Amino acid sequence: MKLKQDTGERAYPIWLLVNPKHPTVRHNIWSPILDEIQDRVYREIQTRIDTTNIFMRNAVSDCRLVPNTLNWWGSEVAREIAEFKEIVLEHKPKLLISFGAFPFEFVRRVFEIKPEKGPKYWGNSRLSDEFERSIENFDINKINQIPLLRRVIASDSYIEAQNCFGRKDGGNYYANVGAKIAEKIIENKDSLNIWI
Protein backbone atom coordinates (compact mmCIF):
# COMPACT_ATOMS: atom_id res chain seq x y z
CA MET A 1 0.00 0.00 0.00
CA LYS A 2 1.45 3.35 -1.12
CA LEU A 3 1.61 5.89 1.69
CA LYS A 4 2.18 9.59 2.09
CA GLN A 5 5.90 9.44 2.70
CA ASP A 6 6.59 12.59 4.69
CA THR A 7 5.20 15.55 6.58
CA GLY A 8 6.77 18.72 7.93
CA GLU A 9 9.58 20.83 6.54
CA ARG A 10 12.77 19.32 5.16
CA ALA A 11 14.68 22.44 6.19
CA TYR A 12 13.77 21.84 9.86
CA PRO A 13 16.75 20.63 11.98
CA ILE A 14 14.84 17.75 13.66
CA TRP A 15 13.84 14.74 11.56
CA LEU A 16 12.00 11.56 12.55
CA LEU A 17 12.35 8.36 10.51
CA VAL A 18 9.77 5.64 11.10
CA ASN A 19 8.76 2.22 9.85
CA PRO A 20 5.50 2.69 7.88
CA LYS A 21 4.19 -0.55 9.40
CA HIS A 22 4.13 1.20 12.78
CA PRO A 23 2.44 4.60 12.31
CA THR A 24 1.55 4.99 16.00
CA VAL A 25 5.20 5.47 16.98
CA ARG A 26 4.77 9.24 16.68
CA HIS A 27 2.17 9.23 19.45
CA ASN A 28 3.23 6.23 21.53
CA ILE A 29 6.98 6.88 21.65
CA TRP A 30 7.80 10.32 20.29
CA SER A 31 5.07 12.30 22.12
CA PRO A 32 6.13 11.30 25.67
CA ILE A 33 9.80 11.85 24.79
CA LEU A 34 9.00 15.24 23.27
CA ASP A 35 7.02 16.16 26.41
CA GLU A 36 10.12 15.48 28.48
CA ILE A 37 12.31 17.46 26.07
CA GLN A 38 9.91 20.42 26.13
CA ASP A 39 9.75 20.34 29.94
CA ARG A 40 13.55 20.32 30.31
CA VAL A 41 14.02 23.01 27.68
CA TYR A 42 11.45 25.27 29.31
CA ARG A 43 12.90 24.83 32.79
CA GLU A 44 16.45 25.56 31.56
CA ILE A 45 16.02 28.32 28.97
CA GLN A 46 12.36 29.41 29.33
CA THR A 47 11.35 28.70 25.76
CA ARG A 48 9.79 25.87 23.80
CA ILE A 49 10.59 24.03 20.62
CA ASP A 50 8.27 24.84 17.72
CA THR A 51 7.16 21.33 16.79
CA THR A 52 4.85 22.25 13.90
CA ASN A 53 7.54 21.76 11.25
CA ILE A 54 9.38 18.70 12.55
CA PHE A 55 10.07 16.60 9.48
CA MET A 56 8.71 13.04 9.72
CA ARG A 57 9.29 10.46 7.03
CA ASN A 58 8.39 6.85 6.44
CA ALA A 59 11.63 5.03 5.63
CA VAL A 60 9.94 3.46 2.60
CA SER A 61 6.92 4.54 0.57
CA ASP A 62 5.14 1.17 0.66
CA CYS A 63 4.62 -1.07 3.70
CA ARG A 64 5.31 -4.11 1.54
CA LEU A 65 8.90 -2.92 1.02
CA VAL A 66 9.76 -3.15 4.72
CA PRO A 67 12.37 -5.91 4.82
CA ASN A 68 11.78 -9.18 6.55
CA THR A 69 13.86 -12.32 6.59
CA LEU A 70 12.64 -13.30 3.11
CA ASN A 71 13.08 -10.04 1.19
CA TRP A 72 15.85 -8.49 3.27
CA TRP A 73 16.93 -5.24 1.58
CA GLY A 74 15.75 -5.75 -1.97
CA SER A 75 16.41 -3.42 -4.89
CA GLU A 76 13.29 -1.33 -4.15
CA VAL A 77 14.63 -0.55 -0.67
CA ALA A 78 18.02 0.34 -2.18
CA ARG A 79 16.24 2.94 -4.35
CA GLU A 80 14.48 4.36 -1.28
CA ILE A 81 17.86 4.56 0.53
CA ALA A 82 19.42 6.43 -2.41
CA GLU A 83 16.49 8.87 -2.54
CA PHE A 84 16.62 9.53 1.20
CA LYS A 85 20.39 9.99 1.05
CA GLU A 86 19.95 12.78 -1.51
CA ILE A 87 17.40 14.52 0.71
CA VAL A 88 19.57 14.16 3.83
CA LEU A 89 22.70 15.48 2.14
CA GLU A 90 20.79 18.42 0.68
CA HIS A 91 19.12 19.50 3.94
CA LYS A 92 21.56 18.20 6.60
CA PRO A 93 19.27 17.84 9.63
CA LYS A 94 20.98 18.21 13.01
CA LEU A 95 19.02 15.40 14.69
CA LEU A 96 17.96 12.38 12.65
CA ILE A 97 15.93 10.27 15.07
CA SER A 98 14.98 6.75 14.03
CA PHE A 99 12.51 4.43 15.75
CA GLY A 100 13.38 0.74 15.92
CA ALA A 101 15.62 -1.68 14.07
CA PHE A 102 14.56 -1.20 10.45
CA PRO A 103 14.72 2.63 10.37
CA PHE A 104 18.06 2.60 12.22
CA GLU A 105 19.62 0.11 9.80
CA PHE A 106 18.09 2.13 6.94
CA VAL A 107 19.93 5.24 8.24
CA ARG A 108 23.16 3.25 8.62
CA ARG A 109 22.88 2.26 4.97
CA VAL A 110 22.16 5.86 3.94
CA PHE A 111 25.50 6.78 5.53
CA GLU A 112 27.17 3.59 4.23
CA ILE A 113 28.09 2.38 7.71
CA LYS A 114 29.52 -1.13 7.56
CA PRO A 115 29.02 -3.92 8.18
CA GLU A 116 25.39 -4.04 7.11
CA LYS A 117 23.22 -5.87 9.65
CA GLY A 118 20.40 -8.37 9.27
CA PRO A 119 16.79 -8.28 10.52
CA LYS A 120 17.37 -9.65 14.01
CA TYR A 121 20.59 -7.80 14.90
CA TRP A 122 19.23 -4.56 16.40
CA GLY A 123 17.69 -5.62 19.70
CA ASN A 124 17.08 -3.28 22.62
CA SER A 125 20.55 -3.74 24.07
CA ARG A 126 22.34 -2.88 20.83
CA LEU A 127 20.03 0.06 20.12
CA SER A 128 20.76 1.25 23.65
CA ASP A 129 24.50 1.14 23.00
CA GLU A 130 24.02 3.07 19.75
CA PHE A 131 21.81 5.65 21.48
CA GLU A 132 24.44 6.23 24.17
CA ARG A 133 27.17 6.47 21.52
CA SER A 134 25.12 9.02 19.57
CA ILE A 135 24.66 11.17 22.68
CA GLU A 136 28.34 10.93 23.66
CA ASN A 137 29.48 11.86 20.14
CA PHE A 138 26.84 14.53 19.49
CA ASP A 139 28.23 17.26 17.25
CA ILE A 140 25.98 20.12 16.15
CA ASN A 141 28.10 20.55 13.02
CA LYS A 142 27.12 17.15 11.64
CA ILE A 143 24.05 14.99 11.17
CA ASN A 144 23.47 13.20 14.48
CA GLN A 145 21.84 9.79 14.07
CA ILE A 146 19.84 9.01 17.22
CA PRO A 147 18.17 5.58 17.49
CA LEU A 148 15.15 5.09 19.74
CA LEU A 149 12.95 2.11 20.44
CA ARG A 150 9.88 1.58 18.32
CA ARG A 151 7.87 0.06 21.12
CA VAL A 152 7.95 0.28 24.89
CA ILE A 153 5.33 -1.86 26.66
CA ALA A 154 4.95 -3.64 29.97
CA SER A 155 6.65 -6.92 29.13
CA ASP A 156 10.06 -8.55 29.34
CA SER A 157 11.12 -6.29 26.45
CA TYR A 158 10.03 -3.28 28.47
CA ILE A 159 12.13 -4.38 31.44
CA GLU A 160 15.08 -4.87 29.08
CA ALA A 161 14.44 -1.42 27.58
CA GLN A 162 14.36 0.11 31.06
CA ASN A 163 17.66 -1.55 31.89
CA CYS A 164 19.21 -0.51 28.58
CA PHE A 165 17.82 2.97 28.04
CA GLY A 166 16.66 3.86 31.51
CA ARG A 167 18.29 3.76 34.86
CA LYS A 168 18.87 0.48 36.64
CA ASP A 169 16.97 1.94 39.61
CA GLY A 170 13.67 1.88 37.72
CA GLY A 171 13.91 5.15 35.80
CA ASN A 172 11.44 5.90 33.04
CA TYR A 173 12.55 5.26 29.44
CA TYR A 174 10.80 8.35 28.05
CA ALA A 175 12.14 10.64 30.77
CA ASN A 176 15.71 9.37 30.53
CA VAL A 177 15.94 9.45 26.76
CA GLY A 178 14.13 12.79 26.56
CA ALA A 179 16.45 14.29 29.17
CA LYS A 180 19.56 13.25 27.26
CA ILE A 181 18.26 14.63 23.97
CA ALA A 182 17.11 17.83 25.71
CA GLU A 183 20.58 18.30 27.20
CA LYS A 184 22.12 18.29 23.71
CA ILE A 185 19.47 20.65 22.37
CA ILE A 186 20.01 23.07 25.27
CA GLU A 187 23.81 22.92 24.89
CA ASN A 188 23.41 23.87 21.23
CA LYS A 189 20.44 26.24 21.52
CA ASP A 190 22.13 29.06 19.60
CA SER A 191 22.84 26.78 16.63
CA LEU A 192 19.28 25.45 16.28
CA ASN A 193 16.54 27.42 14.57
CA ILE A 194 13.72 25.54 16.30
CA TRP A 195 12.32 27.97 18.85
CA ILE A 196 8.82 29.39 19.23
Side-chain angles (χ1 to χ4, degrees):
M1 167 198 316
K2 195 85 165 151
L3 306 166
K4 180 174 173 145
Q5 193 148 12
D6 53 45
T7 61
E9 297 295 326
R10 290 180 178 180
Y12 200 78
I14 301 172
W15 286 19
L16 310 177
L17 187 69
V18 300
N19 182 335
K21 285 188 172 183
H22 305 289
T24 60
V25 78
R26 183 173 191 166
H27 302 290
N28 295 343
I29 303 296
W30 177 241
S31 288
I33 291 170
L34 181 59
D35 288 345
E36 181 66 26
I37 293 169
Q38 292 282 43
D39 182 64
R40 298 268 176 157
V41 164
Y42 188 78
R43 289 174 191 274
E44 290 284 326
I45 58 176
Q46 290 71 53
T47 191
R48 291 180 56 83
I49 297 168
D50 182 353
T51 61
T52 56
N53 293 321
I54 289 177
F55 182 68
M56 182 173 169
R57 183 175 176 94
N58 288 312
V60 291
S61 60
D62 188 325
C63 291
R64 294 171 295 193
L65 296 179
V66 174
N68 60 41
T69 53
L70 299 176
N71 71 343
W72 193 241
W73 304 96
S75 60
E76 298 93 347
V77 177
R79 281 193 295 278
E80 300 266 0
I81 289 170
E83 178 185 320
F84 188 62
K85 183 175 184 172
E86 283 182 32
I87 296 167
V88 166
L89 294 178
E90 178 183 350
H91 296 281
K92 296 181 177 63
K94 300 299 183 184
L95 289 88
L96 177 50
I97 300 169
S98 59
F99 296 86
F102 167 58
F104 181 61
E105 181 62 22
F106 187 93
V107 169
R108 289 179 80 250
R109 291 176 188 219
V110 164
F111 290 98
E112 299 174 12
I113 298 170
K114 303 290 184 187
E116 294 178 345
K117 302 297 182 180
K120 302 291 183 194
Y121 185 79
W122 295 111
N124 286 349
S125 179
R126 287 190 172 123
L127 282 174
S128 170
D129 292 344
E130 292 299 321
F131 172 80
E132 291 300 332
R133 191 175 355 269
S134 72
I135 295 298
E136 287 170 22
N137 298 322
F138 191 93
D139 179 351
I140 199 64
N141 298 309
K142 66 175 188 134
I143 300 166
N144 295 279
Q145 305 159 42
I146 302 173
L148 298 177
L149 295 181
R150 174 188 59 81
R151 184 176 69 164
V152 179
I153 57 170
S155 70
D156 290 342
S157 295
Y158 175 73
I159 300 304
E160 180 187 348
Q162 293 291 51
N163 290 338
C164 292
F165 284 86
R167 297 186 316 250
K168 305 286 191 248
D169 64 356
N172 177 290
Y173 170 76
Y174 306 110
N176 290 315
V177 170
K180 289 177 181 181
I181 295 171
E183 180 181 307
K184 296 304 172 187
I185 290 172
I186 292 164
E187 284 174 11
N188 296 285
K189 66 183 184 296
D190 296 332
S191 300
L192 292 167
N193 184 18
I194 59 174
W195 310 110
I196 289 178

